[in-house]
Structures are given as structure tokens and as C-alpha cells.
Amino acid sequence: MLLRLPILLSLAFGLLLLLAPLALDDWRLSQLAQLLTYGIFALSLSFIWGQVGILCFGQAIFFGTGAYVMALVTLGKLPWLGESQILGLLLATLAAGGVAFVLGLFLFGGRGITGAHLAVVTLCAAVVIEIATGRWGFVGGYNGLRGVPPLTTPWPRDDIYLSGLETYFLIFAVLAAVYFLLLWLTRTPFGTLLAAIRSNEERTRFLGFDVTMAKLFAFFLSGMVAGLAGGLFAAQFGFVSPQLIGFALSTEVLIWVAVGGRGVLLAAVAGALLVRWGEDQLSDQIGQYWLLATGLLFIVIVVIAPRGLFGRILDLSPHRKS
């Protein structure tokens, strides 16, 4: 029964999200849809950190890249591409993956950068790119880009804009698709290779595996997922700014994933929903001190639950020991 418990809890979590529209009004449903977008972003970090063992302190670089590309396309600032939202999301995903690939070449090429050095380099990259974005007039500078069109239907109808319910189910479907794709990938031989790299990179390399290419592909895929989340964010919130691409958001997503459980994909999603919801509640209750309270709670949770709040109970690993 204990072996089946994570499966039952995972199904219950998914069913709860699926049935949420029955209990929520339009405003709360739109808020939950935004939280699910953060959940997709959390999946990107959970994959590269929890499954591969690469702590990227600049994950927001890819999220922000996706958001900006989506905004530039749909606002018509790249007129030769048109203003299609589908194209915008596709380019947002690919552009973020491309940025991750280029950064990965620098990080993993040659002798490679690992551990704390990699975290510091990605952190510095996030800070530099945030500052550069703030000074680039084409993307709005520090004011960012506003008026990003909301999500629309791909087919003609009287009201082309998606309702709150339609938007929610679209984001839920994207989240489910990304989750199952990454979960499937972890069960393939390639996923086994990533787990070996996480456990002992040098030994895996010694056994003849191309560790550099495996890490580079995983980093590329993680960047694509983050970019997709960024593109959906831009369409939901209607604006993008340099803060989406820098240090603050990179730190936030790390907290979400650590609180939920970095080694379990669905736990990272649950962590994102819980922490973001908790931040909103704390900001309403204690005002400007909410950030301090969030930090203290994060420290307590990491100390008492190293695997996160949901890491153990949502672990679907076939080799899980109970």
C-alpha cells in the first residue's frame, strides 16, 4: 500500500486541479492559472537540478527570454514574423532553449564548470542580463513592454479572447503535457544516464558516456520549458520587465522547488503553488515583512525536510524505498 500511496496522491493532486473550476470564481481561477504557469517554470528547474544535479541560479534568464520574445512577436515589434500567438509561443520556447544551449556550451565545454562555481556563474549571468535588458530601449528598458495581448483562440469566433475557464484549462493542459514528457524522459535510458551524472559525474564519464552532450541537451530542454512558461506568463499578465530575467525570480523559483522537493517533478509544482499562494497571504497579513517571513519559513523547511514537503509522498520513482 505504501508503494501505491505516491501514485494515489499524485492522481488526487491532478484531479484537484482539474476540478478546481467547479469551486472557484473567475478571478480566483485566473489566479490559479497564473500559479500553474509558475508550476511549469518550477518543472524546468526541478528537471535540471533534481534529475541532473545542476543547480542553475539563473533559471529566470530562460523564463524572461521566453516572455520577451512572446511580447515582441505579439506586439508586432518583429513585423516580418507577424503577430501570431502560436508562433510567439513557439519562438519563445526555441529562443530560450537557444540561450540555454549557448550558455551550456560555455558552462560544460572543455573541463566544464560544476558545483558552486556553476551556481555563481549562472547567478552573475542573470544579474548582467537583467542590467543589459534594462538599458536596451528596443525591449522597453527598465519600463519593460506593456499591452501584451491576452490569449486568443486559433480559430475565428465572435469573442476571440479566451475566457478565464478556457485559459485555465489551456495552462493546465500545457502543465500536464510538460510534466508527463519530463517524467517519461526520466524513465528512459537517457534519464538513467542523467541520474548517473547526478550521482557521480566523473565515474559516468570514465565509463565512456558523453557527459557533456547529455548535460547540454538537458540544459537545453530545461531552458525550453522555462521559455514556454515565460511566454504564457507574458500573455496572462500583459507585460514583461527586466525583473523577469534576473536574480530575484531565479532565487524565488529555487525556493519553490526546494520547498516542494527538487528530486520529484510534481513536488516542485506543488511547491510553486504553495509558496506563491503563501507569499500572497503573508503580504496581505504582515505587509512589507512578508519577504522576511518567507525566508525564515524556507530555512525551517529545508532543515526539517531536506527532500521538501512533498518530495517523499509524491515520489513516483520505481526504485523508491519506503
Side-chain angles (χ1 to χ4, degrees):
M1 181 63 186
L2 288 177
L3 291 177
R4 297 179 57 196
L5 182 60
I7 297 177
L8 294 175
L9 291 176
S10 298
L11 291 174
F13 180 66
L15 187 62
L16 182 64
L17 292 179
L18 187 62
L19 298 179
L22 298 177
L24 301 178
D25 56 34
D26 287 343
W27 185 82
R28 293 187 183 278
L29 193 61
S30 67
Q31 296 297 304
L32 183 55
Q34 294 168 8
L35 293 182
L36 292 186
T37 304
Y38 289 126
I40 300 172
F41 184 27
L43 278 176
S44 72
L45 181 60
S46 176
F47 177 71
I48 197 65
W49 185 19
Q51 307 302 317
V52 193
I54 299 174
L55 174 55
C56 178
F57 236 119
Q59 197 71 8
I61 295 172
F62 318 126
F63 181 86
T65 296
Y68 268 101
V69 170
M70 180 67 171
L72 290 171
V73 171
T74 56
L75 287 174
K77 291 192 174 288
L78 303 174
W80 59 91
L81 294 176
E83 300 178 10
S84 167
Q85 287 190 333
I86 295 177
L87 179 61
L89 284 173
L90 177 61
L91 292 178
T93 304
L94 294 176
V99 171
F101 184 82
V102 172
L103 182 59
L105 286 175
F106 171 74
L107 294 173
F108 310 133
R111 297 182 61 183
I113 303 174
T114 59
H117 295 92
L118 188 145
V120 170
V121 170
T122 54
L123 171 62
C124 293
V127 173
V128 170
I129 293 175
E130 180 180 5
I131 294 173
T133 303
R135 296 181 179 179
W136 190 10
F138 179 68
V139 296
Y142 288 107
N143 294 323
L145 297 172
R146 300 183 180 277
V148 180
L151 294 169
T152 60
T153 62
W155 55 83
R157 69 180 191 185
D158 292 338
D159 183 7
I160 63 171
Y161 296 107
L162 295 184
S163 65
L165 182 63
E166 291 170 329
T167 299
Y168 177 80
F169 279 121
L170 172 63
I171 303 299
F172 176 81
V174 173
L175 172 63
V178 172
Y179 168 70
F180 284 115
L181 172 64
L182 295 180
L183 182 64
W184 168 80
L185 191 60
T186 62
R187 304 296 180 85
T188 64
F190 179 71
T192 303
L193 173 59
L194 296 181
I197 294 173
R198 181 185 69 236
S199 299
N200 193 318
E201 181 175 333
E202 289 304 316
R203 179 173 294 180
T204 304
R205 193 187 305 274
F206 177 76
L207 292 174
F209 293 98
D210 193 339
V211 170
T212 299
M213 287 305 300
K215 291 168 63 176
L216 189 58
F217 177 76
F219 204 58
F220 169 73
L221 182 58
S222 172
M224 289 181 65
V225 173
L228 175 60
L232 292 171
F233 172 93
Q236 286 181 273
F237 283 80
F239 75 95
V240 294
S241 65
Q243 286 72 29
L244 297 180
I245 210 165
F247 165 72
L249 186 58
S250 292
T251 304
E252 276 198 70
V253 68
L254 188 146
I255 292 176
W256 307 340
V257 173
V259 168
R262 66 183 177 92
V264 179
L265 294 170
L266 194 60
V269 176
L273 269 59
L274 176 65
V275 176
R276 285 297 302 175
W277 176 82
E279 287 175 352
D280 291 340
Q281 299 304 309
L282 287 173
S283 63
D284 290 340
Q285 297 297 324
I286 60 178
Q288 60 183 341
Y289 299 105
W290 71 268
L291 190 58
L292 176 61
T294 301
L296 291 175
L297 287 174
F298 170 65
I299 294 173
V300 171
I301 291 172
V302 169
V303 170
I304 65 175
R307 293 189 60 184
L309 294 178
F310 311 108
R312 190 176 299 275
I313 62 174
L314 294 178
D315 187 2
L316 299 178
S317 170
H319 303 295
R320 179 176 178 269
K321 297 179 181 180
S322 298

